[in-house]
Amino acid sequence: MANIKNQKFIALDISGKNYLSWVLDVKLHLSVKKLKHTIDEDNAASNEERVTALIFLRHHIDDDLKYEYLTVENSLELWQNLNDRFEHLKAVVLPKALNDWSQLRFQDFEIVS
């Protein structure tokens, strides 16, 4: 990750441990750039918009993931491939996080405001 200085947020890790926050960041940044429609099904994006979104996505994924998806030339296809690979984390990570949050105890404090 030599280009980390130029990134707007943390790149998607090859393990996918930051996938949920990465998806949100990507959607927000693509919305700001008016390119979010390039990752939607049945979009009518121009070739220039697709390439711009693809460059943005590739810039914000781990280098090993870049090499793995080197032949993908469409932003929607890359988005779907990453979604297929890491979507299961919502079923694993999110319930655990919600459970941890519900079990959180403020043992060291008498009053919590």
Side-chain angles (χ1 to χ4, degrees), residues 13-62:
D13 188 65
I14 193 158
S15 68
K17 66 182 177 184
N18 64 336
Y19 176 72
L20 297 175
S21 63
W22 180 85
V23 166
L24 180 61
D25 289 339
V26 167
K27 285 182 178 180
L28 291 172
H29 278 82
L30 288 178
S31 292
V32 168
K33 295 177 179 243
K34 299 184 181 9
L35 294 172
K36 188 170 184 258
H37 64 282
T38 61
I39 58 171
D40 294 334
E41 290 279 340
D42 301 326
N43 65 60
S46 69
N47 192 40
E48 181 180 334
E49 290 174 326
R50 284 189 192 115
V51 170
T52 304
L54 180 64
I55 291 169
F56 181 81
L57 289 173
R58 289 184 49 80
H59 185 72
H60 290 89
I61 60 176
D62 187 77

Side-chain angles (χ1 to χ4, degrees), residues 44-97:
S46 69
N47 192 40
E48 181 180 334
E49 290 174 326
R50 284 189 192 115
V51 170
T52 304
L54 180 64
I55 291 169
F56 181 81
L57 289 173
R58 289 184 49 80
H59 185 72
H60 290 89
I61 60 176
D62 187 77
D63 289 338
D64 293 331
L65 284 172
K66 283 182 194 177
Y67 295 124
E68 188 170 332
Y69 296 107
L70 192 61
T71 59
V72 176
E73 297 180 357
N74 186 338
S75 57
L76 176 60
E77 185 180 350
L78 178 59
W79 182 259
Q80 289 173 336
N81 287 343
L82 292 171
N83 187 38
D84 292 343
R85 180 176 180 150
F86 297 116
E87 184 69 19
H88 73 282
L89 293 175
K90 283 184 181 176
V92 175
V93 175
L94 190 56
K96 182 182 180 328

